[in-house]
Amino acid sequence: MPEPRIIPITPKAAAPKAGGWQPSLSASPPLSLYIHFPWCVRKCPYCDFNSHSVKDEGIPEAAYIAALIADLESALPQIWGRRVHSIFIGGGTPSLISPDGLDELLTAVRMRILLDPMAEITLEANPGTVDAGRFAAFRQAGINRLSVGIQSFHEGHLQALGRIHGRHDAIAAAEAALKHFEAVNLDLMYALPGQSLMEAEADLATALALGPQHLSCYHLTLEPNTAFAANPPEVPDPDASADMQERIEARLGEAGYTHYETSAFARPNRECRHNLNYWTFGDYLGIGAGAHGKLSSHEGIVRETRPRHPTAYLAAKDSGAFVQDRRSLGAQDLPFEFMMNALRLNGGFPLRLFAERTGLPLEAAEAGLVQARRQGLVETDGDTLRPTLKGRRFLNELLMLFLAD
């Protein structure tokens, strides 16, 4: 068997800067649909997502679903004739939607788009907001993958994170999810306030005993504009956090999970298809309050956002002006935009994908690739480019190499 072909990345004196090229796509990327549900029972102190606590008057579910349907209809000309391969309903806490409301929404979606019969359709759920009967109704409505926000099985750490559920609720929710769905993700966080390595390992052991097909393991970060940023808790130091990360990665590997993306681990062939479309720079239409989208056409690649606050989003239904901001991505933007996604994949990506998804030759990213190779942050094997272990550990520094001058 021949040795794998190593493709050298070397400077070309004649290569222009990225801005000297004009993107030209030969085909549309795969398309996904993201639907945002912005309400939670209570805002967690670490959360910087677009989520809003439920007020005394409750959730205006009927009005919000009507707005989502109108939003989708207004966007149809941008995706006409394109097949949608996955749907992800995120939040917030989408499991607060009633089963009847979810059924109405998904029925309306199916009537308006070309949905792949084998599409992955994910709903995010939080323990404490659902019961087993509700899970069964979500499955009947068409959800075939559930992502459950466990975060921890430790009572004290759940309280520190501001979660509304306890250990028993977390285990019961995971067991119910696995009973009704063949594809289940459990979210876990580590480097929590006051957490020890032994406690992080115990959380993981409990999750593994439940047997989910997919696990997302995130390092707690103190994001700007959150309660934790305003009043930072005492968290494990970088060395302790790194020990947790390394132990989690090793234990999941021993248990047969593939570490395919920065924070994602899956049984063989159970990766999240929706998220893989993000990481491979596919297209996605985002509807709902604060939703983001990325769409390609013969006119180029654009990013869109919807009004962030639910009240403003609901008001947009009257005018039909759901898109609050639309920005075209120029040739100078695309190397960073592509690498920001694709370099999250530990296995890397085929080099041809850069041109297929950006409409630019690989030379447009050459300056960054040269520096990344020199610093030992990426490597090539055959036709695949991937981050090294060092590149994965210093991903932010790696991505900065692809920012336009």
Side-chain angles (χ1 to χ4, degrees):
M1 184 174 178
E3 291 290 320
R5 181 167 62 93
I6 306 300
I7 299 177
I9 299 174
T10 54
K12 292 183 179 179
K17 291 185 177 180
W21 281 289
Q22 290 300 317
S24 179
L25 293 171
S26 58
S28 297
L31 177 65
S32 296
L33 173 64
Y34 175 76
I35 302 173
H36 193 75
F37 185 84
W39 287 282
C40 286
V41 173
R42 184 172 66 198
K43 181 85 170 178
C44 295
Y46 60 85
C47 179
D48 69 336
F49 294 141
N50 184 33
S51 60
H52 305 263
S53 298
V54 176
K55 305 299 183 183
D56 293 338
E57 61 269 21
I59 298 168
E61 181 178 289
Y64 192 71
I65 290 173
L68 287 172
I69 295 170
D71 189 356
L72 177 60
E73 288 181 341
S74 72
L76 288 178
Q78 296 175 271
I79 62 169
W80 203 254
R82 297 179 63 182
R83 186 179 295 270
V84 173
H85 297 278
S86 66
I87 299 174
F88 196 103
I89 306 173
T93 307
S95 51
L96 290 171
I97 304 174
S98 70
D100 286 345
L102 183 64
D103 184 65
E104 177 189 354
L105 173 61
L106 289 178
T107 298
V109 168
R110 293 188 194 97
M111 291 175 64
R112 287 163 175 81
I113 64 172
L114 183 61
L115 183 62
D116 189 313
M118 302 301 292
E120 175 190 87
I121 305 177
T122 302
L123 179 79
E124 288 187 333
N126 281 343
T129 65
V130 289
D131 55 33
R134 207 170 172 88
F135 278 157
F138 290 157
R139 183 70 182 89
Q140 189 172 5
I143 301 298
N144 55 31
R145 183 177 184 272
L146 208 68
S147 181
V148 187
I150 301 292
Q151 314 313 352
S152 176
F153 294 98
H154 186 285
E155 295 287 357
H157 296 146
L158 288 170
Q159 291 177 14
L161 292 172
R163 305 296 287 176
I164 65 170
H165 66 272
R167 174 183 171 84
H168 173 77
D169 299 317
I171 293 173
E175 290 175 340
L178 288 159
K179 175 182 177 181
H180 293 286
F181 296 89
E182 294 181 359
V184 173
N185 169 67
L186 301 183
D187 278 348
L188 288 180
M189 300 177 75
Y190 64 93
L192 306 178
Q195 188 180 43
S196 68
L197 175 60
M198 185 178 297
E199 289 168 340
E201 290 180 318
D203 270 351
L204 183 61
T206 302
L208 287 173
L210 290 163
Q213 296 79 20
H214 193 284
L215 277 160
S216 299
C217 297
Y218 302 94
H219 187 298
L220 172 66
T221 54
L222 307 185
E223 301 288 354
N225 303 314
T226 63
F228 270 2
N231 296 288
E234 185 174 347
V235 295
D237 63 40
D239 288 341
S241 298
D243 289 343
M244 292 181 195
Q245 179 180 356
E246 290 175 3
R247 184 57 191 145
I248 287 168
E249 291 175 358
R251 181 68 187 92
L252 284 167
E254 294 165 1
Y257 289 79
T258 299
H259 187 190
Y260 71 98
E261 184 269 336
T262 301
S263 304
F265 304 79
R267 296 282 191 191
N269 302 313
R270 304 313 289 268
E271 296 88 351
C272 177
R273 284 184 274 151
H274 185 89
N275 285 346
L276 277 175
N277 191 44
Y278 289 156
W279 309 141
T280 53
F281 211 51
D283 277 359
Y284 52 98
L285 171 64
I287 62 173
H292 291 242
K294 176 228 164 206
L295 296 170
S296 305
S297 72
H298 66 281
E299 297 179 346
I301 302 173
V302 298
R303 288 202 179 276
E304 298 180 338
T305 57
R306 267 55 178 174
R308 183 175 176 85
H309 198 278
T311 301
Y313 179 77
L314 288 168
K317 182 177 181 296
D318 295 331
S319 64
F322 285 102
V323 178
Q324 184 177 57
D325 181 66
R326 179 180 282 117
R327 179 173 67 91
S328 295
L329 298 180
Q332 70 279 3
D333 305 313
L334 288 168
F336 174 77
E337 292 275 345
F338 177 88
M339 296 297 178
M340 181 175 59
N341 291 279
L343 287 176
R344 291 183 65 95
L345 293 170
N346 293 340
F349 60 90
L351 289 166
R352 57 174 171 76
L353 193 69
F354 181 83
E356 290 177 3
R357 300 292 161 87
T358 66
L360 297 173
L362 187 61
E363 287 81 3
E366 193 168 59
L369 290 171
V370 169
Q371 290 301 315
R373 280 291 297 272
R374 286 174 177 167
Q375 295 177 35
L377 300 174
V378 299
E379 60 189 3
T380 48
D381 184 353
D383 294 322
T384 298
L385 176 76
R386 60 173 174 254
T388 61
L389 178 60
K390 180 182 177 182
R392 286 154 51 185
R393 291 288 187 262
F394 296 94
L395 183 59
N396 288 339
E397 289 81 354
L398 170 56
L399 296 178
M400 291 302 103
L401 298 176
F402 298 95
L403 280 174
D405 295 335

